[in-house]
Amino acid sequence: MRLFIFGSIRRTLIILVLLAVLPALAILLYSGWELRNRVVLDAENYALRQVQAMAAHHERVVENARLLLMALARSAEVRELDAAACQKLLAEILASHTAYVSFTLIDVNGHVLAAAPADLPATSQPIDVFQEALQSGAFTIGNYALRKNERRVVVHFVQPVFAGDSIPKGVLVADFDLNYFGRLFADTRLPERSIFTLTDARGMRLTRFPETEKYTWVPDLPRMVERMSGEEEEGTFLKIGVDGVSRLYSFKRLHFQGASFPYLMIRLGIPVDQALGEARFVFVRNLAMLILAAALALVTARIVGERTLMRRFNQLVAATDQLKSGLLSSRTGIDPQEGEIGRLASAFDSMATELEKKEHERSVAQNELLRLNEELEQRVIQRTEQLARTNRDLQQTLENLQRTQKQLVLSEKLAALGELVAGVAHEINTPVGVALSAGSTLVEKNRTLTELFSQGEMKRSDLTQFLEESREGVDMILVNLNRASDLIRSFKMVAVDQVSEHRRLFRLREYIDEILLSLRPKLKRTSHRIIVECDPDLTVESYPGAFSQILTNLIINSLVHGFAEEESGEIRIEAVRRENVLELRYSDNGKGMEPEVQDRIFEPFFTTSRQHGSTGLGLHIVFNLVTRTLGGEIGCESRPGQGTVFHMTIPV
């Protein structure tokens, strides 16, 4: 692609001109973007100031209404509830305050004593706000209400009337017309198609300027309400209005003391097209000027290139064609002083002069290269043979290492079996010795009784004593021989399974008990407690020897590494079958392991007690038995001071 783009000098000149225009285009785009951002920021600030001014005006309206009603409530006519005088007073106040649509004086029973205008319908009286003002005894702002016949929205201002004591005698009600903000909106002289909207906390659009008739007392757009009901009390955002016009909106939430509603939302929208019109015009004008300048530069580059570059390039191409055909005497005829192309032509002529000399040197170099290639091939063959011998040596070393590892693993198994034999032999020695002692005693008692019988001195008491002692001795012999028989049977089963790889059906709980019995010589020297949780009727078909080696290595590992000397710990073995999977859980409450030790416990020859004779193969053998022999999975969880747990899942 690169050769295609820059293959022609004319195209290269055009590309260079375009590349020269790119920085100006980038500056133009950046300045347009910056101008647009500045215009948008100015528009946001302007709209926010306008809506803040509208909000301040509304707050002044509320404050003025409060002051006006308080002043009226203190007048003598109102305090005495003089209906005729109040009628005249309210008519004068209404005439001088055009922003209000009505003033009403109501007694505590809800009867209208005076109203301006006089024909004010009774249904327009704010009963709920009336009751709230009487109860609070303070200035109250009611909800915004729609007067359907007049198609206008008003807000009720209510002031209790007192006649010398703290008990209200009635209330003054002033209804403020929200259309008053239409005049303010018109006086602001905002850009064309700008809008001003008042929305209550329920999302009802109270009124909108302009097009007030169309958008009075209708639900506001949910996206507008959601944006104005957020955490910010005021702000700006860009949205499309209900009329489909994209506007930059500013909003503010107003909170009034004594109001029966939480807040009022006002917003002002200015069309985006008008706000950005000037910036867009400046950008388009500058872009048109840049395109015109680029076009003039392209025409100029083409004319200059044709007259200054292409003629000499054609001479150089012709000389190159002659040289390609074998004419080594070809020359360009261009003066070397004619700039860069002249220097290029001079270099071409020098190249043609040197070609014949280089041809001879090339021939000599080619012969030398052939000789070096032959030597290189011979070296490659020699190095290949050396690498092959090295690979064979490495393979032999690896096989020796694997054989040594297998021998070490087998030695570890045999050592464990030998230790089991020694322990069981020591354990059997005690019951056998007791049985032997009891037998010797019986022989001596029998000899004594025989002598008494042969001498005729045997008494009935001697025979009775002999029979009693014989029964005790025989019982002692039977008990100890049965104990020795149980030990031998357990040892035989476990030992045979450890060296056998046959699969058979067996009861898991019974087999675990046999394993623990064979380990009793080691366990009885400690105060540890072993708890087995397994269904006595749980039967599995698997390799019992693997289970024996797994549990034996885990128990010995806990005794050696998990517990300190003289410590009393607990070892728990739990087994449960779920469909075709046996879940085996082994845990102790010993010292636990550090994370760096836990990550390496299944590695061969890794141990933390090598000074005590550990080989580091115990858990490696467990891992191989679980994953290879039994085809299952094993995992370990441990924390320092919180013991160790091994989870095993084995298909059965």
Side-chain angles (χ1 to χ4, degrees):
M1 179 58 71
R2 183 178 61 184
L3 295 177
F4 173 74
I5 294 176
F6 297 100
S8 169
I9 295 179
R10 297 184 183 90
R11 190 181 297 116
T12 302
L13 290 175
I14 293 174
I15 293 175
L16 290 176
V17 172
L18 293 177
L19 290 176
V21 174
L22 284 179
L25 178 61
I27 294 174
L28 175 64
L29 293 176
Y30 176 75
S31 61
W33 175 77
E34 191 176 40
L35 177 60
R36 181 186 183 280
N37 289 342
R38 186 167 61 251
V39 170
V40 171
L41 182 60
D42 292 342
E44 289 179 350
N45 293 333
Y46 172 75
L48 191 58
R49 287 196 302 272
Q50 293 297 326
V51 81
Q52 288 171 347
M54 291 287 189
H57 201 91
H58 196 309
E59 291 173 344
R60 286 197 299 273
V61 165
V62 175
E63 181 62 19
N64 292 338
R66 186 181 67 82
L67 295 176
L68 176 62
L69 292 180
M70 288 179 62
L72 288 175
R74 294 177 181 177
S75 65
E77 298 90 335
V78 175
R79 295 178 65 185
E80 295 175 0
L81 301 181
D82 187 346
C86 289
Q87 182 71 36
K88 182 179 179 180
L89 177 62
L90 294 181
E92 293 175 354
I93 296 297
L94 181 63
S96 60
H97 292 77
T98 58
Y100 295 89
V101 296
S102 65
F103 287 92
T104 309
L105 176 62
I106 306 173
D107 63 13
V108 293
N109 296 319
H111 300 138
V112 177
L113 302 178
D119 56 349
L120 182 67
T123 56
S124 64
Q125 305 307 321
I127 302 302
D128 53 346
V129 186
F130 166 78
Q131 297 295 338
E132 184 177 348
L134 288 177
Q135 293 176 2
S136 64
F139 176 77
T140 305
I141 304 174
N143 278 319
Y144 294 87
L146 173 66
R147 292 191 175 184
K148 296 183 180 179
N149 296 334
E150 303 173 13
R151 197 59 186 174
R152 70 173 71 197
V153 178
V154 299
V155 58
H156 305 297
F157 299 126
V158 183
Q159 172 65 39
V161 176
F162 300 92
D165 53 12
S166 60
I167 300 176
K169 303 300 182 181
V171 294
L172 273 173
V173 181
D175 291 344
F176 180 80
D177 187 3
L178 293 188
N179 288 334
Y180 172 76
F181 288 99
R183 297 195 294 271
L184 295 178
F185 177 74
D187 294 341
T188 308
R189 300 187 183 280
L190 295 170
E192 186 180 357
R193 302 177 74 183
S194 297
I195 65 168
F196 177 69
T197 306
L198 289 91
T199 305
D200 65 11
R202 300 171 300 172
M204 180 64 70
R205 192 197 310 261
L206 303 177
T207 186
R208 176 184 185 268
F209 307 104
E211 299 182 282
T212 306
E213 292 284 338
K214 183 178 179 180
Y215 295 107
T216 294
W217 206 259
V218 294
D220 205 345
L221 295 176
R223 61 178 182 273
M224 297 287 188
V225 176
E226 180 181 0
R227 182 63 180 83
M228 294 188 296
S229 302
E231 297 180 357
E232 299 177 351
E233 294 289 332
E234 63 180 22
T236 58
F237 59 91
L238 188 65
K239 290 287 185 182
I240 297 177
V242 69
D243 54 359
V245 178
S246 179
R247 292 184 176 89
L248 178 63
Y249 290 96
S250 61
F251 73 93
K252 184 174 179 63
R253 290 202 301 269
L254 299 179
H255 303 269
F256 301 110
Q257 184 177 3
S260 58
F261 52 88
Y263 54 81
L264 172 69
M265 298 178 286
I266 63 174
R267 72 173 181 272
L268 177 67
I270 301 176
V272 176
D273 292 339
Q274 295 186 13
L276 300 180
E278 181 181 355
R280 188 180 296 109
F281 170 76
V282 173
F283 175 75
V284 172
R285 182 195 64 190
N286 294 343
L287 182 62
M289 294 176 62
L290 179 62
I291 293 175
L292 179 61
L296 292 176
L298 289 174
V299 173
T300 303
R302 182 176 179 84
I303 295 174
V304 173
E306 289 289 342
R307 294 186 178 181
T308 59
L309 296 177
M310 296 307 300
R311 177 179 56 80
R312 289 178 288 176
F313 270 116
N314 290 334
Q315 294 177 351
L316 184 60
V317 170
T320 303
D321 291 338
Q322 293 177 1
L323 184 64
K324 183 176 65 175
S325 64
L327 185 60
L328 299 180
S329 60
S330 174
R331 299 293 183 271
T332 61
I334 301 175
D335 188 357
Q337 303 298 323
E338 295 186 11
E340 287 82 0
I341 297 180
R343 291 197 296 272
L344 177 61
S346 176
F348 177 82
D349 294 340
S350 299
M351 179 186 66
T353 302
E354 295 291 329
L355 273 178
E356 187 173 2
K357 178 181 178 182
K358 295 296 182 182
E359 178 66 20
H360 174 70
E361 294 176 354
R362 185 192 65 80
S363 178
V364 174
Q366 185 176 7
N367 293 332
E368 181 68 16
L369 181 60
L370 291 175
R371 185 183 63 81
L372 292 176
N373 284 339
E374 292 177 357
E375 293 180 358
L376 180 61
E377 290 177 358
Q378 186 63 30
R379 291 179 181 178
V380 169
I381 293 173
Q382 294 176 356
R383 292 299 303 274
T384 302
E385 292 178 353
Q386 293 176 359
L387 288 175
R389 288 195 299 270
T390 303
N391 286 337
R392 288 194 296 271
D393 294 341
L394 289 175
Q395 183 65 29
Q396 184 64 35
T397 302
L398 179 60
E399 292 176 356
N400 292 337
L401 181 61
Q402 292 176 345
R403 185 164 53 253
T404 302
Q405 182 177 350
K406 291 180 180 179
Q407 292 175 353
L408 287 174
V409 171
L410 181 59
S411 299
E412 182 75 11
K413 292 181 180 179
L414 294 177
L417 185 59
E419 189 174 357
L420 177 63
V421 171
V424 171
H426 177 75
E427 189 73 12
I428 292 174
N429 186 55
T430 299
V432 171
V434 172
L436 182 60
S437 177
S440 299
T441 302
L442 283 177
V443 170
E444 181 63 25
K445 294 292 183 181
N446 185 57
R447 185 184 59 79
T448 302
L449 184 65
T450 302
E451 290 179 355
L452 291 174
F453 179 76
S454 61
Q455 296 174 3
E457 298 178 358
M458 184 179 68
K459 301 177 183 178
R460 183 181 182 86
S461 59
D462 294 333
L463 179 60
T464 301
Q465 182 181 359
F466 172 76
L467 292 176
E468 182 66 24
E469 292 175 351
S470 297
R471 184 183 59 79
E472 292 177 356
V474 169
D475 289 343
M476 186 180 297
I477 292 172
L478 287 177
V479 168
N480 284 275
L481 289 180
N482 285 331
R483 180 182 173 189
S485 175
D486 291 340
L487 288 173
I488 294 171
R489 178 180 54 80
S490 173
F491 165 72
K492 179 181 178 182
M493 179 180 293
V494 174
V496 169
D497 284 336
Q498 285 192 358
V499 298
S500 173
E501 296 184 355
H502 294 295
R503 186 183 181 96
R504 65 182 177 86
L505 191 68
F506 60 95
R507 293 182 182 269
L508 183 59
R509 174 59 187 266
E510 181 179 340
Y511 196 73
I512 293 175
D513 292 339
E514 297 289 348
I515 296 171
L516 296 178
L517 183 60
S518 66
L519 291 175
R520 191 166 65 179
K522 281 186 170 295
L523 295 174
K524 73 177 185 178
R525 293 196 295 268
T526 68
S527 58
H528 305 313
R529 190 163 59 103
I530 298 182
I531 300 174
V532 180
E533 294 184 3
C534 178
D535 187 357
D537 297 328
L538 176 58
T539 303
V540 296
E541 184 178 357
S542 186
Y543 299 94
F547 281 88
S548 173
Q549 294 180 41
I550 290 170
L551 293 178
T552 299
N553 285 341
L554 290 177
I555 293 173
I556 293 177
N557 192 70
S558 295
L559 297 179
V560 175
H561 304 285
F563 299 106
E565 294 184 4
E566 305 301 329
E567 182 180 1
S568 179
E570 179 180 285
I571 297 174
R572 184 177 294 270
I573 303 172
E574 304 172 37
V576 61
R577 180 170 182 169
R578 305 185 189 278
E579 296 182 356
N580 295 328
V581 175
L582 176 67
E583 296 182 2
L584 187 62
R585 185 178 185 271
Y586 176 90
S587 62
D588 65 50
N589 60 350
K591 295 184 292 186
M593 293 179 282
E594 298 289 343
E596 56 271 15
V597 175
Q598 183 180 347
D599 293 340
R600 300 184 59 191
I601 57 174
F602 295 125
E603 294 181 9
F605 308 111
F606 174 76
T607 179
T608 58
S609 300
R610 197 173 302 279
Q611 66 276 14
H612 297 118
S614 297
T615 62
L617 289 173
L619 290 181
H620 177 65
I621 293 174
V622 170
F623 180 81
N624 287 337
L625 288 172
V626 173
T627 58
R628 296 183 182 178
T629 304
L630 300 180
E633 297 178 354
I634 183 171
C636 177
E637 297 178 4
S638 181
R639 291 183 180 179
Q642 299 185 13
T644 303
V645 180
F646 289 91
H647 297 277
M648 290 162 278
T649 56
I650 301 168
V652 293

